[in-house]
Every structure is written in structure tokens, then in C-alpha cells.
Amino acid sequence: MRRLRAWGNDLIGFLFLPETDKWLTVLRVGLGLQVTVYALFLKSDWQYLFAGTGKGLVSRELGEAIISFDSPFIPKLGWLVTLGGHVNIGEETVLSVAWACLLVAGCCLLLGLFCRPAAISAWFLHLCAAQSGGLLAYGADNFMTMGLFYLMLSPLPDRYSLDHWLGKTKPKNPQLLGFWRRVLQLHLCLVYFFGGLGKSLGSGWWDGSNLWRALIRPPFDIISPDILIRFKYLLPILGISICLIELGYVFCIWMKKTRFIWLVCIVAMHIAIGLTMGMYLFALIMIVLNLAAFGPDFGSLFLAYRERFRPVLPERLSP
């Protein structure tokens, strides 16, 4: 009984470890930047991607019908279009307003203004867009939805936001801040572990063939095949390295001696994905989530290094 009670106390201590809100600032600013860039990237194609039958690239109704098989309660842009139709607002206007609201929500998160409403609005509108364009969505959309979900539930506003400076809000509960950071950490560990496990089970990542196929498939074929052939001996090494980094993440990211090294490796991996495959939004969201979950206290880190490398001045001679 005592052992069970001790385990319970250890679990509570692990889940509710007190934290400052600096990680929340990183998450808020990073997701604000992500949402803003996402909206700006899609500005010219927003209507084309999400218009109804006969007006867009792929009918929005088709994507929403497929999503409805999973659950009719998943938010979709069609809800907003239907709601606008009841008050005689056209589809094009509704979609334009939805895009503008998403952009404003991203900017508000960047500034830390109306943090909670902005986070909820960004999560809802992005989820609607991702589900309505499900046939065109990819991993970045899933991780954006995940990050915004955790952000809107976290104890906002953080002390570096405009909301805090204008409203003089009280400091948040450190244990509650620690809980939501811990949830984000555990979620990322599961993502990388099972991602690495799935890659390791086949031979494609061990011999580099999966990496080759990923780099030559349009529209991700930024690097010329001639260059890839010239350095083909590196593909198996890179493939094995990716498997080891993802599998080792769940273990090495928790240990102080290896945390910074593994964080640098995982960030470098996502930067490489962004630069070599053009998946800039995916790279950005993964870097933001990792820095928020396991990133160091950069202010304290800078002060520590400054103290470490500060030149030793000769002591003054006493008179």
C-alpha cells in the first residue's frame, strides 16, 4: 500500500512539476507565426482550395463528405458557409471572412493580445480548413491543430504577452503550467517513437530507398536527381540516422546530458526537411513544438555561458 502511494505521489510529481511560463511564450509566439505564415501562404489560393463544387480545385463538399464518415461533428468550413447562407451572405464572402479572422488570430497570438480568444479562434478556423481540405492536408496541419489545441487549454496569458502588460494579470499556477508542458512532451515522445519504430520495421530507411523516393517525388523534388545520385552513398547513413534520432528521442530527450544534443539533432533534421523538400510549414511547426516542450531557458543559458567565459580580471590590490 505504501509503495502504491509512493508511486502515485511520484506520478503526480512528474505530471505537475512546477514550471515558469517561458515555454508557453515560445509556444504562443511560434504558433502565432505559424498561423500567420499559413494564412499568408494560402491567401491567393484560399478561394480556389475551399470553394464549392465547380468553383475550386477539389470540391469542398467532397472532402467534407469523406470527413463526415468519421464523425458528423468534426468542424468544417461548410458549417460557416451554411450559417452565412441563413443571413444571405455568399460563400465567397464567408470564406474571405474566415481567412481574415485566421490571419487576425495569428497576429494576436504573436502580440499576445486577446490570447485565449485568439487561440480558440485559430484552432477552430484552422481545424475547419484542414478538415474541409482533407484531400490536400498533410502532417503540418495535424501538428498545427495539436499545438493550437494545447495552447488554448494552457493557462494563458503568459507574462510576456500584451494581455499581461495591459491587464496586469496574476502569475499562473506553476504546477498547472508544468502539467500542460508535460502533456506536450509526452505527446511528442509518442509521435517520434512510433514514427521511428514504423520506419525501422522496413528495409527502406536502412538502405536509403525511402529517402530517395521522398526526395524525387513531385512537388518535393527540390534537389536534382543528379546530385542525389552523386551522393547516393549518404542516403543509407541519413536514413539510419533518422531512425535512431526518432527512436532515441523518447529516451535521450529526458536525460540532462543528452537533451540538448538530441534537441539540436531533431531541430536540424526538421530544418533539413524544410530546405530539401520545401516543407517549410511542417519544419516550422515541429521546431516550435520541440522548443516549447524541451527547449532550454535561453535567458539563463546565455547568462550561464557569459559567466563561464567571462575573462578573469585581476583582483585589486588592497591599499
Side-chain angles (χ1 to χ4, degrees), residues 5 38 40 50 86 92 102 111 142 173 197 218-219 235 247 257 259 291:
R5 187 177 300 173
Y38 173 86
L40 292 176
F50 299 115
H86 291 312
E92 185 175 347
L102 185 62
L111 298 173
N142 296 329
N173 186 341
L197 184 62
L235 295 181
L247 277 175
K257 292 183 178 180
R259 176 178 298 173
L291 290 180

Side-chain angles (χ1 to χ4, degrees), residues 43-59:
K43 179 183 178 182
S44 58
D45 298 318
W46 185 264
Q47 296 285 344
Y48 186 55
L49 290 173
F50 299 115
T53 304
K55 300 178 182 178
L57 177 64
V58 179
S59 171

Side-chain angles (χ1 to χ4, degrees), residues 18-139:
E19 289 275 3
T20 66
D21 60 357
K22 291 182 180 179
W23 73 270
L24 188 57
T25 302
V26 174
L27 185 64
R28 173 183 58 78
V29 174
L31 286 174
L33 178 62
Q34 178 83 17
V35 172
T36 303
V37 173
Y38 173 86
L40 292 176
F41 271 10
L42 294 182
K43 179 183 178 182
S44 58
D45 298 318
W46 185 264
Q47 296 285 344
Y48 186 55
L49 290 173
F50 299 115
T53 304
K55 300 178 182 178
L57 177 64
V58 179
S59 171
R60 187 191 69 250
E61 286 88 348
L62 176 60
E64 292 178 351
I66 295 174
I67 291 298
S68 296
F69 283 115
D70 294 331
S71 172
F73 302 107
I74 297 176
K76 299 175 280 287
L77 287 175
W79 289 5
L80 304 180
V81 173
T82 302
L83 185 62
H86 291 312
V87 291
N88 296 322
I89 299 178
E91 177 188 69
E92 185 175 347
T93 303
V94 171
L95 292 177
S96 298
V97 171
W99 176 86
C101 290
L102 185 62
L103 179 63
V104 170
C107 293
C108 286
L109 288 176
L110 268 174
L111 298 173
L113 190 62
F114 308 116
C115 292
R116 183 81 63 192
I120 295 173
S121 301
W123 171 80
F124 179 77
L125 291 172
H126 176 264
L127 182 60
C128 287
Q131 297 304 320
S132 294
L135 296 175
L136 303 173
Y138 71 116

Side-chain angles (χ1 to χ4, degrees), residues 104-249:
V104 170
C107 293
C108 286
L109 288 176
L110 268 174
L111 298 173
L113 190 62
F114 308 116
C115 292
R116 183 81 63 192
I120 295 173
S121 301
W123 171 80
F124 179 77
L125 291 172
H126 176 264
L127 182 60
C128 287
Q131 297 304 320
S132 294
L135 296 175
L136 303 173
Y138 71 116
D141 294 298
N142 296 329
F143 286 107
M144 278 182 68
T145 301
M146 181 192 88
L148 289 168
F149 179 76
Y150 288 139
L151 180 65
M152 74 176 187
L153 294 179
S154 297
L156 293 167
D158 56 273
R159 57 180 165 170
Y160 298 100
S161 64
L162 282 178
D163 283 346
H164 174 75
W165 292 104
L166 296 175
K168 301 297 181 182
T169 57
K170 296 180 180 180
K172 303 301 180 181
N173 186 341
Q175 291 182 321
L176 193 58
L177 286 164
F179 171 75
W180 285 110
R181 190 182 196 190
R182 189 67 82 205
V183 171
L184 178 60
Q185 290 172 339
L186 293 173
H187 196 151
L188 284 179
C189 285
L190 290 174
V191 167
Y192 283 115
F193 178 75
F194 286 105
L197 184 62
K199 291 180 177 69
S200 302
L201 292 178
S203 61
W205 287 92
W206 297 98
D207 59 17
S209 59
N210 280 358
L211 201 56
W212 164 264
R213 283 193 289 268
L215 291 172
I216 64 171
R217 179 185 301 173
F220 310 116
D221 52 340
I222 293 179
I223 301 177
S224 170
D226 295 335
I227 297 177
L228 294 176
I229 293 173
R230 188 179 305 172
F231 296 98
K232 61 182 179 180
Y233 60 88
L234 289 177
L235 295 181
I237 298 174
L238 292 174
I240 294 172
S241 299
I242 291 172
C243 291
L244 294 178
I245 289 172
E246 293 190 356
L247 277 175
Y249 185 94

Side-chain angles (χ1 to χ4, degrees), residues 247-300:
L247 277 175
Y249 185 94
V250 69
F251 306 106
C252 298
I253 202 68
W254 295 102
M255 296 184 288
K256 290 184 178 180
K257 292 183 178 180
T258 56
R259 176 178 298 173
F260 186 73
I261 296 174
W262 231 258
L263 185 63
V264 170
C265 289
I266 208 75
V267 168
M269 183 184 76
H270 287 299
I271 291 175
I273 290 173
L275 294 178
T276 59
M277 300 180 67
M279 300 172 66
Y280 306 114
L281 287 175
F282 176 74
L284 178 58
I285 186 60
M286 297 310 298
I287 291 171
V288 167
L289 293 177
N290 275 282
L291 290 180
F294 292 104
D297 184 344
F298 293 102
S300 300

